[in-house]
């Protein structure tokens, strides 16, 4: 089969090549991939010299089951699915039933492919915040993949969403997704917030933590700034309404995989029904992968990049 594999001699450190077909285990379905979405973490990871040539990466993919799992778990042959795994940039992938969700037959595979990492991360972090009804929730990196889903889901849960985006051109779009406030940086937020989903790290994390009210929690989801977060000594004081605040880490694959199938199915249904905007801002054939990768690495992309395989 054809796959997009690490090649440190090529632009973007990736090239289309032939690799062996996957051999699914009894609990895995074989999926013919129709579209994949790219995440900065995996694209950046492909540039690392310690990743061997020929490695196939890719967490997010959508397609059709061509061989159901032998143990009877998961969907039947012919089902449209959205999948989470580690080798998505290929024509075929073997996926455990726990890591795939079913989707309506007429759903756009490109839109579905944006769901796994970004949609699941946003959903699982927001659940950790508890009831959001009437609470102020701050989302940094709001115009990125996780951020856009977080803004939409938090708004639907009744939160007063405070979105942070350094791009002023994204402000109207974020408001249309449900943000009540849009600021260029957390330091511009004037009223305390009950919870933070931070995708940026660095100074954004420091200032977002300072915006928390008593009992509030900041969830560190990403570090797109690649900058250190250096807290000043008084950041950890508990006086003046700063009591009992906390910072929590998050790792999607640290959550029980048993819950992903139902969540992927629900998110796919919301995408297909038009109740969630996938935020695709770059889309093209996987033959144009170098262009998509460079756009991501140059930080010129707001939203998701999608490669179509078919």
């Amino acid at each position: 089969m054809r796959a997009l594999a690490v090649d440190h001699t090529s632009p973007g450190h990736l090239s289309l090549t032939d690799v062996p077909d996957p051999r699914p285990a009894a609990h895995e379905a074989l999926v013919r991939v129709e579209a994949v979405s790219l995440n900065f973490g995996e694209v950046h990871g492909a540039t690392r010299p310690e990743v061997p040539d020929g490695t196939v990466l890719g967490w997010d993919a959508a397609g059709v089951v061509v061989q159901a799992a032998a143990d009877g778990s998961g969907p039947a042959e012919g089902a449209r699915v959205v999948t989470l795994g580690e080798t998505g940039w290929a024509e075929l992938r073997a996926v455990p039933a726990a890591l795939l969700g079913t989707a309506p037959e007429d759903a756009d595979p490109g839109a579905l492919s944006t769901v796994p990492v970004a949609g699941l991360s946003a959903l699982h972090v927001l659940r950790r915040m508890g009831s959001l009804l009437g609470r102020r929730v701050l989302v940094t990196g709001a115009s990125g993949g996780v951020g856009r889903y977080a803004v939409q889901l938090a708004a639907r849960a009744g939160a007063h969403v405070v979105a942070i985006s350094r791009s002023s051109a994204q402000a109207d779009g974020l408001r249309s997704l449900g943000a009540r406030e849009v600021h260029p940086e957390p330091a511009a937020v004037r009223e305390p917030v009950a919870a933070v989903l931070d995708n940026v790290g660095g100074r954004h994390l420091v200032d977002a933590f300072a915006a928390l009210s008593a009992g509030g929690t900041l969830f560190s989801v990403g570090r797109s700034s690649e900058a250190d977060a250096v807290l000043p000594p008084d950041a950890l004081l508990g006086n003046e309404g700063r009591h009992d605040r906390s910072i929590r880490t998050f790792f999607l694959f640290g959550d029980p995989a048993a819950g992903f199938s139902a969540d992927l199915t629900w998110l796919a249904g919301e995408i297909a029904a038009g109740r969630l905007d996938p935020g695709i801002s770059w889309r093209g054939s996987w033959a144009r992968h170098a262009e998509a990768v460079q756009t991501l690495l140059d930080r010129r992309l707001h939203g998701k990049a999608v490669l179509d395989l078919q």
Side-chain angles (χ1 to χ4, degrees):
M1 68 173 180
R2 299 286 283 169
L4 196 56
V6 173
D7 177 359
H8 293 301
T9 67
S10 296
H13 296 257
L14 295 166
S15 64
L16 282 170
T17 187
D18 291 315
V19 300
D21 289 0
R23 301 177 63 181
H27 67 293
E28 294 178 325
L30 188 64
V31 176
R32 184 183 73 248
V33 176
E34 296 177 321
V36 302
S37 69
L38 308 180
N39 298 286
F40 177 81
E42 60 200 357
V43 167
H44 187 263
T47 69
R48 299 182 184 278
E50 63 268 24
V51 179
D53 282 350
T55 302
V56 179
L57 304 173
W59 296 321
D60 300 344
V64 175
V65 175
V66 293
Q67 180 181 317
D71 66 0
S73 62
E77 181 178 327
R80 182 169 297 285
V81 292
V82 55
T83 70
L84 176 67
E86 297 180 343
T87 58
W89 300 339
E91 291 176 317
L92 296 169
R93 79 183 312 190
V95 188
L99 297 180
L100 59 78
T102 56
E105 185 176 344
D106 60 350
D108 173 16
L112 295 177
S113 73
T114 69
V115 163
V117 168
L120 285 175
S121 294
L123 182 64
H124 281 233
V125 171
L126 293 174
R127 283 177 177 165
R128 283 165 164 76
M129 294 179 182
S131 175
L132 301 182
L133 189 62
R135 301 172 72 200
R136 288 172 58 83
V137 173
L138 188 150
V139 179
T140 71
S143 56
V146 176
R148 286 178 58 90
Y149 275 122
V151 167
Q152 295 176 78
L153 293 170
R156 286 179 55 176
H160 178 112
V161 180
V162 181
I164 306 299
S165 175
R166 286 172 288 189
S167 171
S168 59
Q170 299 297 312
D172 288 344
L174 289 169
R175 290 189 181 95
S176 72
L177 296 179
R180 300 280 292 279
E181 301 176 34
V182 182
H183 301 282
E185 54 189 22
V189 177
R190 299 304 174 207
E191 295 182 39
V193 298
V196 175
L197 188 157
D198 176 48
N199 292 299
V200 179
R203 187 70 205 182
H204 271 53
L205 184 150
V206 174
D207 291 339
F209 182 69
L212 280 174
S213 58
T217 302
L218 181 149
F219 294 85
S220 178
V221 179
R223 189 167 163 264
S224 64
S225 69
E226 299 186 14
D228 292 338
V230 181
L231 294 167
D234 64 353
L236 300 180
L237 294 178
N239 61 341
E240 299 181 357
R242 297 178 292 181
H243 173 65
D244 201 27
R245 296 168 302 143
S246 60
I247 297 175
R248 290 179 59 181
T249 57
F250 174 77
F251 179 57
L252 178 61
F253 295 96
D255 274 356
F260 287 161
S261 181
D263 290 339
L264 285 168
T265 297
W266 181 77
L267 288 165
E270 295 302 288
I271 287 284
R275 291 187 289 267
L276 281 177
D277 181 349
I280 300 172
S281 53
W282 190 101
R283 186 169 186 174
S285 164
W286 70 337
R288 297 172 58 198
H289 63 272
E291 179 184 342
V293 166
Q294 198 58 53
T295 301
L296 275 170
L297 293 176
D298 291 345
R299 308 301 182 104
R300 291 184 283 115
L301 186 72
H302 296 283
K304 296 293 292 182
V306 169
L307 300 177
D308 292 306
L309 276 64
Q310 305 300 315

